[in-house]
Amino acid sequence: MGNNNSQSIHLKKEILARIIEAFFSDNFEERTRLIPYDMRPKGADVPYRCCIYKERAILKERVKAGLGFALEDDIEYKLLSEYAKEAVKREKVDENPLTVLDAACAGCVPSRIYVTDLCKGCVARPCQAACKFGAIEMVDGKSKIDGSKCKSCKMCMNACPYNAIVKLAVPCEDACPVGAIQKDENGITRIDFEQCISCGKCVAACPFGAVHEKSQIIDILKYIKSGSKKVIAMVAPSIIGQLPGSIYQLKSAMKKAGFSEVFEVAQGADITTINEAKEFEERMENGAPFMTTSCCAGYNQFVKKHLPEIKEFRSTTGTPLYYIAEIVKKQYPDAITVFVSPCVAKRKESMENPNVDYVMTYEELGALFIAKRIEITECEEDKFETESSKQGRNFGVTSGVADAVKSVCKNPEEVKPYIISGLTKETAKDLKKFAKDKSCPGCNLVEVMCCEGGCIGGNATINIPRVAKKELKTLLDESKDLERKE
C-alpha cells in the first residue's frame, strides 16, 4: 500500500523540504508565505490543474497541512505567514491526524454499481436473476439499476456475461475498511473521525493527494533548533530499505540532522516478542481458542471503535514502540521523544502514550535530509548501543510478528498462525466472525496488520516494498537470533 514514487508524494516531500528550509532560514514566516509562488512562479507550466491560481491555492493548503493544521477549519484569507507563526507557538498537536484538502479533492462521482453501454439486453437477463433486491429492471432494452434498492453486492456484475456492469469506485471510500469516509452535500470528501481508525489507507489511495496528514515537523524542529532539550529519535523496524545507505549510516545522518540520539524500535520488538510468547503460552494453557497480536496501531483503533468483542482475544502485550519509549524515557527523562513511523496510525497511538512526544513519518525524515543537504551514503556508520535481533528487525513485514513469537515459544510446533495482511472490508468480516464464533478454525495466533505486506507497505513509506525487502534481508542475514531467557 505504500506511497512509494507517486507524483503526489514527490510534491508532498518537496513542500515539506521547503517548509524545513524556511524554518531554518532568517525569516520563517515570509519564506513560508512565498512557497506556493516559488513553486509556481508567474509564467511557469501548470502540470496538474486548470490554471496557475488553482495550483497555488492547492499548494497553499498543502503547506498548511505541512505546518500541522486542519483544513476543515481553514480561514481562506489567512496568510501562510500567520499559520507559520502559530505553528511555532503551538504547544499541543491536534488529536485527529488526518485532514482533507477541499481544493485538491476532485469531487469524484458517488460510488455505485453502474450499467455501461456494453449491455446487450440479453434474453436470459442473468443480472436480474442474480439480484436479490429487485434493483434491476429493463429500460429501452437495457438493464438499469435502481440506486435506492441496490446494496452494491456485485452479484449482477459477476453474472453479466459481457462485463457490462461495473463499479464506479471512489478510491478513498473504497480503501477505507470501516466506512469512515463519505461525501458532503458539495461532493467533497469528509472523514468521520468518530469512525476513523487512522490507518491512512485513504491517504495512499487518493490519486489527487487530497487526504493529507497533519505534520508535526515544526513541533519537532523547534526543539532541535533551540537546543533546549535533547531530541531522541526512535526508528521503526520498517525503516530498513526506505532510504539509501545502511541502518548505521542512517543513525549517523539523523544525528547530523539534529537528533541527539537514535534508537531502534526493533529493540522494543524483542521485548514484545518475549512477552507475547509468554502470554500466548499462558492463554493456550488456560484454554483460550486463539490470541491476536497487538502491535498494529490501526488494528488497535479498529478494535476500540468497531470490534470491542474481540478485545478479550487480543494480546495485552505492549507494542514495540511502548517498550522502546519506556527505555528511552528512563535513560533521558527530560528529552523530547520522536517516533519515526511508516504510517499515520502511530500518531494516534503516540498521543495515548506519555512517553512519546511526537511522530515523524519516513516522508518527513526524507524531506529533512533534502532540506539539510545530507547524503546518508556519505555518513560514517554509527552502531547502536544495543543491537536488535533478526526477529525484531523483521517485525515490519507480514508474518514477522507471528514468526518471531513462534521462534521463542517453548513448543513452536503448537503455534498455528493466521495472517491478515491488510485490513480491508473483507478481512474485517473475518475478524468479526472470529469474535462472534469465539474461534479461529485451525489457527490459534492471529497476526493483524492494517497495511498490505505489513508496515513496510505503510502509507508513509517511500520505497517499493519488494526493493525494501531486499535491503532488509541483507541486514537480517547479519543479525543475531533472539534468545528467550527465563
Side-chain angles (χ1 to χ4, degrees), residues 288-357:
F290 67 94
M291 183 183 84
T292 81
T293 57
S294 57
C295 296
C296 176
Y299 169 60
N300 290 334
Q301 287 294 313
F302 172 73
V303 173
K304 180 180 179 180
K305 295 184 176 183
H306 298 276
L307 196 59
E309 54 266 39
I310 207 171
K311 185 178 179 180
E312 65 176 293
F313 301 108
R314 186 186 58 185
S315 169
T316 58
T317 298
T319 68
L321 174 58
Y322 173 86
Y323 291 116
I324 195 64
E326 192 174 54
I327 290 170
V328 172
K329 277 294 188 180
K330 283 182 180 178
Q331 193 169 338
Y332 301 94
D334 298 322
I336 297 297
T337 53
V338 179
F339 176 57
V340 183
S341 173
C343 75
V344 175
K346 283 294 184 180
R347 293 195 194 275
K348 202 69 175 176
E349 178 185 334
S350 299
M351 291 175 193
E352 298 170 353
N353 186 340
N355 290 329
V356 184
D357 295 305

Side-chain angles (χ1 to χ4, degrees), residues 119 121-122 125 127-128 136-144:
C119 178
C122 50
R125 310 278 166 80
C127 56
Q128 275 189 321
I136 299 180
E137 58 181 343
M138 298 300 292
V139 178
D140 297 329
K142 304 267 186 183
S143 291
K144 185 177 180 180

Side-chain angles (χ1 to χ4, degrees), residues 56-354:
R56 287 174 179 169
I58 295 173
L59 290 173
K60 183 179 178 181
E61 288 196 345
R62 294 190 190 282
V63 173
K64 291 176 188 175
L67 290 169
F69 293 98
L71 278 301
E72 287 79 4
D73 303 320
D74 179 38
I75 301 173
E76 188 177 4
Y77 56 81
K78 191 172 178 179
L79 297 175
L80 283 177
S81 54
E82 295 180 58
Y83 280 103
K85 185 186 296 185
E86 288 181 16
V88 174
K89 293 180 179 179
R90 181 173 54 223
E91 294 183 0
K92 185 179 179 182
V93 297
D94 197 286
E95 64 174 326
N96 296 316
L98 297 174
T99 189
V100 177
L101 285 61
D102 287 5
C105 183
C108 306
V109 297
S111 178
R112 66 183 191 275
I113 306 298
Y114 174 74
V115 181
T116 70
D117 290 339
L118 293 175
C119 178
K120 302 295 183 182
C122 50
V123 175
R125 310 278 166 80
C127 56
Q128 275 189 321
C131 182
K132 300 177 181 179
F133 309 102
I136 299 180
E137 58 181 343
M138 298 300 292
V139 178
D140 297 329
K142 304 267 186 183
S143 291
K144 185 177 180 180
I145 298 174
D146 182 345
S148 65
K149 297 179 180 179
C150 178
K151 305 298 181 183
S152 298
C153 67
K154 302 181 185 178
M155 294 300 290
C156 58
M157 287 176 55
N158 298 330
C160 179
Y162 294 100
N163 296 318
I165 305 177
V166 299
K167 180 180 180 181
L168 297 179
V170 179
C172 59
E173 286 184 31
D174 220 33
C176 180
V178 295
I181 294 187
Q182 296 178 348
K183 299 289 184 181
D184 66 11
E185 62 275 10
N186 298 314
I188 302 298
T189 291
R190 288 290 175 259
I191 301 172
D192 180 350
F193 290 111
E194 294 297 317
Q195 301 298 315
C196 178
I197 61 173
S198 303
C199 65
K201 286 178 176 287
C202 53
V203 178
C206 179
F208 297 95
V211 188
H212 208 294
E213 320 85 288
K214 287 176 276 189
S215 177
Q216 299 173 10
I217 193 73
I218 297 302
D219 306 86
I220 297 165
L221 294 182
K222 66 184 180 184
Y223 286 103
I224 289 178
K225 187 176 182 179
S226 70
S228 59
K229 292 186 177 184
K230 290 182 181 294
V231 182
I232 311 297
M234 304 171 291
V235 293
S238 55
I239 191 71
I240 300 160
Q242 294 298 320
L243 294 157
S246 71
I247 185 70
Y248 307 112
Q249 286 177 307
L250 177 64
K251 178 186 176 183
S252 181
M254 292 181 71
K255 291 171 78 171
K256 191 174 180 180
F259 288 99
S260 306
E261 190 52 81
V262 181
F263 285 75
E264 275 190 291
V265 176
Q267 183 184 341
D270 287 342
I271 301 172
T272 294
T273 299
I274 298 298
N275 290 346
E276 198 145 82
K278 290 178 180 178
E279 183 180 358
F280 173 79
E281 290 168 347
E282 184 178 341
R283 283 175 179 252
M284 294 303 106
E285 288 173 6
N286 292 330
F290 67 94
M291 183 183 84
T292 81
T293 57
S294 57
C295 296
C296 176
Y299 169 60
N300 290 334
Q301 287 294 313
F302 172 73
V303 173
K304 180 180 179 180
K305 295 184 176 183
H306 298 276
L307 196 59
E309 54 266 39
I310 207 171
K311 185 178 179 180
E312 65 176 293
F313 301 108
R314 186 186 58 185
S315 169
T316 58
T317 298
T319 68
L321 174 58
Y322 173 86
Y323 291 116
I324 195 64
E326 192 174 54
I327 290 170
V328 172
K329 277 294 188 180
K330 283 182 180 178
Q331 193 169 338
Y332 301 94
D334 298 322
I336 297 297
T337 53
V338 179
F339 176 57
V340 183
S341 173
C343 75
V344 175
K346 283 294 184 180
R347 293 195 194 275
K348 202 69 175 176
E349 178 185 334
S350 299
M351 291 175 193
E352 298 170 353
N353 186 340

